[in-house]
Amino acid sequence: MEEFQGPEPGRHNTSEIRSQRKWWISVFFCGFLVLTGDSLVMLLLNFYYVQNNRSENDQYQQYRGTWTQALIQNVAFPILIPLFFILPKPETVSDQTNTRHPPFLRVLLLYLSLGVLVSVYSKLYALARLYVGWGILVPAQLILTSLFSAFINRLKFNRWIIISIIFTLAADFFCAPAFSGTPTEDESYTYGIKAWLILIFPTLAFSLSLSLTQLGFERVLAKTKRYGGSNKKVFRMVLEMQIFVSFVATLICLVGLFVSGEFKELKGESERFKKGRTYYSLSLVGLALSWQVWAVGLLGLVLSVSGLFADVVHMCASPVVALLVVLAFDFKDDDFGWQRRGALLGSVLALACYFYYLHKTKKKEMAELNKRDNNNNNSEEA
């Protein structure tokens, strides 16, 4: 059975019910952040590439600017620092079992490895969106996430999880949002080995990062008791991980931006922008903030449930995002037809199956708690 990162069972049912309510609220809140972040990112990316005259550029220019987009995806992490210090910090508990391997070194290694992975998939996803579009990217990502969850996180699949994955894959296969950055018909474009490599590596890095993030929450941040005893998991862990991982990824993307010489093209991009430099700057700022909203929601779902659940929620947002793109932009031959309506229904069913599974598991936890309390009361009376 999938391991949940929910509240620890208490001795009294009232406290457990209260904890479970807080857990459900956190799950829905993080899911809302993922949906909001996905929607804003897609709308602003479309606006950026439409205003950047990308359709009028040649093939060489078509695939430029990817280091800039990778940097934008990570650079706005400082906005999370005040929130990190506002949240109350639980009392730490000393753990003598970590004397040979200090928690600091393990945490540092975790953040460095995740930062490298995030920078890799940020760069490659920015290129893949321009090279192969959205249609195959996300479904391949969920398949890899499922495999990593099984082998790395020891996830045991049941029928509700499998049904949810099937509905999610079907929904995303028929409902990729329209994207203005994909190649035009006039540009020479072949779907060969290069395209497949550009497709596989970012999905591989993203899926692996989700599983390693879940493993980091469980085996490093919780078990080192940095935020209290009993393997306690708190939302502060999400902000800490996002800040430090994004810091590492930002440094790597900055190096790539300057080594590749792409920074020289920023002035030309701002001059090509149809709405002018002010809107160019605002679109980049909006993208940076939207990416942080999405990332915090995604990590929150990983902490609360699992990396697989986070990816399912992320993918199920695609039909909603596709509808918003249709309403916001006038792309040729793009509408919200029967296929996308069916995909929206499929996403709803996928989430319903997964949430039903979560509900059954929580209900089972409560029943076991009641049974344990009754046994304790009977033993005391005897």
Side-chain angles (χ1 to χ4, degrees), residues 317-335:
S318 291
V320 178
V321 176
L323 174 60
L324 295 176
V325 171
V326 169
L327 296 176
F329 299 94
D330 185 21
F331 292 141
K332 186 178 181 180
D333 298 329
D334 184 39
D335 57 10

Side-chain angles (χ1 to χ4, degrees), residues 246-318:
S246 294
F247 173 73
V248 175
T250 298
L251 292 181
I252 296 175
C253 292
L254 275 174
V255 172
L257 183 70
F258 283 95
V259 170
S260 65
E262 194 175 296
F263 71 98
K264 300 176 182 178
E265 303 172 5
L266 295 178
K267 182 178 180 180
E269 284 194 355
S270 63
E271 293 175 349
R272 284 196 307 270
F273 214 72
K274 296 178 182 178
K275 293 286 187 178
R277 295 183 179 181
T278 301
Y279 279 94
Y280 172 78
S281 301
L282 290 176
S283 65
L284 294 184
V285 171
L287 269 173
L289 296 177
S290 301
W291 277 120
Q292 292 302 310
V293 171
W294 172 81
V296 169
L298 194 76
L299 291 184
L301 292 178
V302 175
L303 175 73
S304 300
V305 185
S306 68
L308 178 61
F309 177 71
D311 204 10
V312 167
V313 174
H314 167 48
M315 289 184 60
C316 286
S318 291

